[in-house]
Amino acid sequence: MDVTKQYAIAWKGLKNGTYRFDFKVDNALFEAYGSTDIKDGDLSVGVTLERGESMLSLQTVIRGTVTVACDRCRLPVAFDGTLLVCFSDEVADYDGEVMWISPAEGEVSLAQYIYESIVLSLPYQRVHPEGECDADMLHRFRIVSQEEFSQIEHDAETRAEVSQPLD
């Protein structure tokens, strides 16, 4: 089964008005998009859909955490956004804020929108401020002092000198 199908809303039978939809996001979505940055996630997505004659307005709230590559902890995700879905026979490219779909389509897929919203909500530098990291994760990634590092370098140089061939 295509995992992205679970993030689709069948709007065709809905009358004009407001509707609520909830989704769970886990590692499967990130794997479906071949994400190398996000390794795992546990997120909730709430969508309030307002159905009109010529468009849908979707208010999206995403909350949860993700684990990213080469970082020490799970990072929080908090995203609030609006996506307009307009109906038109001439479908234009999706730009992150407006999606154009044919009125003949019976559902709107939010998988790409949800995925991109999570990725774009992550900070550029993906580590917690000093003192706020998960203690268990810090224990796993023990950082050596400058003195310990100097000793490691010295030992490596000594081993390299000993292994030099004699002329």
Side-chain angles (χ1 to χ4, degrees):
M1 177 185 141
D2 181 7
V3 80
T4 61
K5 296 275 187 204
Q6 67 185 342
Y7 303 104
I9 296 175
W11 63 269
K12 195 77 164 179
L14 301 177
K15 296 181 177 167
N16 290 353
T18 304
Y19 301 87
R20 173 77 183 186
F21 300 90
D22 294 300
F23 304 98
K24 293 298 282 178
V25 175
D26 59 19
N27 193 40
L29 181 65
F30 305 115
E31 285 178 356
Y33 281 96
S35 176
T36 57
D37 288 336
I38 300 176
K39 301 299 180 195
D40 193 14
D42 181 20
L43 302 113
S44 297
V45 179
V47 177
T48 303
L49 180 147
E50 187 173 329
R51 166 85 158 91
E53 287 298 321
S54 62
M55 69 178 193
L56 307 171
S57 176
L58 296 99
Q59 300 295 321
T60 307
V61 175
I62 302 172
R63 298 288 187 268
T65 59
V66 294
T67 302
V68 293
C70 300
D71 290 323
R72 299 180 288 197
C73 304
R74 294 180 66 83
L75 295 177
V77 172
F79 171 82
D80 296 20
T82 301
L83 174 67
L84 294 178
V85 180
C86 299
F87 308 131
S88 174
D89 289 328
E90 295 181 27
V91 177
D93 289 334
Y94 161 69
D95 69 3
E97 294 178 6
V98 178
M99 182 184 298
W100 295 88
I101 63 172
S102 168
E105 289 186 42
E107 65 182 27
V108 58
S109 175
L110 299 179
Q112 181 178 354
Y113 176 72
I114 291 170
Y115 172 78
E116 289 177 0
S117 299
I118 293 167
V119 171
L120 293 174
S121 71
L122 295 176
Y124 182 72
Q125 185 177 11
R126 298 177 181 170
V127 287
H128 286 102
E130 193 66 38
E132 292 183 23
C133 285
D134 181 299
D136 181 48
M137 295 304 284
L138 284 177
H139 179 71
R140 293 179 192 194
F141 294 104
R142 187 175 89 72
I143 299 172
V144 298
S145 68
Q146 183 60 42
E147 182 179 308
E148 289 173 301
F149 185 74
S150 296
Q151 184 62 44
I152 292 168
E153 283 185 321
H154 178 269
D155 292 348
E157 289 171 4
T158 303
R159 279 192 300 271
E161 291 172 3
V162 170
S163 64
Q164 294 288 328
L166 298 174
D167 291 329

